[in-house]
Amino acid sequence: MALADARIGHLARLARWRDILIPADVTRCATIAAADCNLARELMLDPTTNSLCDTFMARALALSLQNVRSGRGGPFAAVIVKGSEIIAEGMNCVTATNDPTAHAEMVAIREACRKLQSFELVECEIYTSCEPCPMCMGAIYWARPARVYFANSAADAARAGFDDAFIYRELSAPHAERKIPMIQLRHDEAPAAFRAWREKSDKIRY
């Protein structure tokens, strides 16, 4: 209750600063407190200073540490939030599952999409313990969440032995000069699938 009261007081101070009227009714204020990330954005404030946003990031960081101590995987975790509710959590389990794509964000995105029965994370936010790698960044853009919060930077990850800067360099290198050579075959036949897709009238766009 004390935490809720503190949030309400904090929101009231913010509201006065923006000349926004917040109802005195405690129930309505508690509802506002539960959605204070959204209110912070509406007030054009920095949501990273907001209590609920901080709580969600704290959860991601706690999971990342738990993952290391459990021996299940690397020091990465992510939570996905919709409204004021965590709908999915993910921890890196590459070594535990022998799946190189099982990064924390990927695991969390898969679970969130399963729960929402959607391939898009509309109005969702991702809180991740570290700035996403190129693979996870691609998945995030395909999933289309509203925003992403991160704690550790890519540089922090590199110092811990997780340096993915070379992947960005590889993407800009000619196909044949990449560390893993990429060789194009049967290009004359390949566009047939794209033509079929363009002509398909009942396709589900994504």
Side-chain angles (χ1 to χ4, degrees):
M1 185 64 182
L3 179 57
D5 289 342
R7 288 175 179 169
I8 292 169
H10 176 62
L11 289 169
R13 288 192 296 275
L14 295 179
R16 284 196 296 272
W17 182 67
R18 288 293 186 183
D19 293 322
I20 300 295
L21 177 62
I22 287 184
D25 180 80
V26 174
T27 302
R28 294 176 67 188
C29 285
T31 300
I32 292 172
D36 55 359
C37 283
N38 291 330
L39 180 60
R41 286 191 294 275
E42 290 172 10
L43 294 176
M44 299 178 67
L45 301 173
D46 181 0
T48 61
T49 64
N50 183 266
S51 56
L52 266 184
C53 295
D54 188 65
T55 298
F56 295 141
M57 182 57 77
R59 175 61 178 167
L61 294 178
L63 288 173
S64 68
L65 186 57
Q66 175 186 323
N67 206 46
V68 174
R69 289 173 173 168
S70 71
R72 184 168 173 77
F76 304 97
V79 300
I80 298 179
V81 174
K82 186 165 188 177
S84 58
E85 178 186 359
I86 293 178
I87 60 171
E89 297 179 339
M91 292 179 281
N92 180 288
C93 54
V94 170
T95 55
T97 60
N98 294 317
D99 180 358
T101 72
H103 287 199
E105 296 92 336
M106 302 289 285
V107 173
I109 287 171
R110 289 167 183 159
E111 178 62 13
C113 289
R114 185 190 67 80
K115 285 187 176 179
L116 295 174
Q117 292 294 290
S118 173
F119 51 78
E120 291 186 348
L121 298 178
V122 178
E123 297 179 357
C124 292
E125 297 176 334
I126 298 177
Y127 293 78
T128 178
S129 64
C130 185
E131 189 173 359
C133 75
M135 175 182 69
C136 294
M137 185 71 78
I140 287 167
Y141 271 87
W142 280 111
R144 301 179 179 91
R147 58 190 49 79
V148 176
Y149 299 103
F150 66 94
N152 287 307
S153 68
D156 294 325
R159 285 190 287 272
F162 300 94
D163 189 358
D164 51 27
F166 82 95
I167 297 178
Y168 290 102
R169 293 193 296 271
E170 288 282 288
L171 290 173
S172 62
H175 293 159
E177 296 177 16
R178 293 177 181 174
K179 184 176 180 180
I180 301 175
M182 303 189 70
I183 303 160
Q184 189 172 32
L185 298 174
R186 306 188 74 155
H187 182 231
D188 56 334
E189 301 173 29
F194 288 143
R195 286 195 297 271
W197 174 257
R198 288 195 302 269
E199 295 165 2
K200 185 176 176 60
S201 60
D202 61 344
K203 59 179 171 281
I204 299 175
R205 297 182 181 276
Y206 61 95

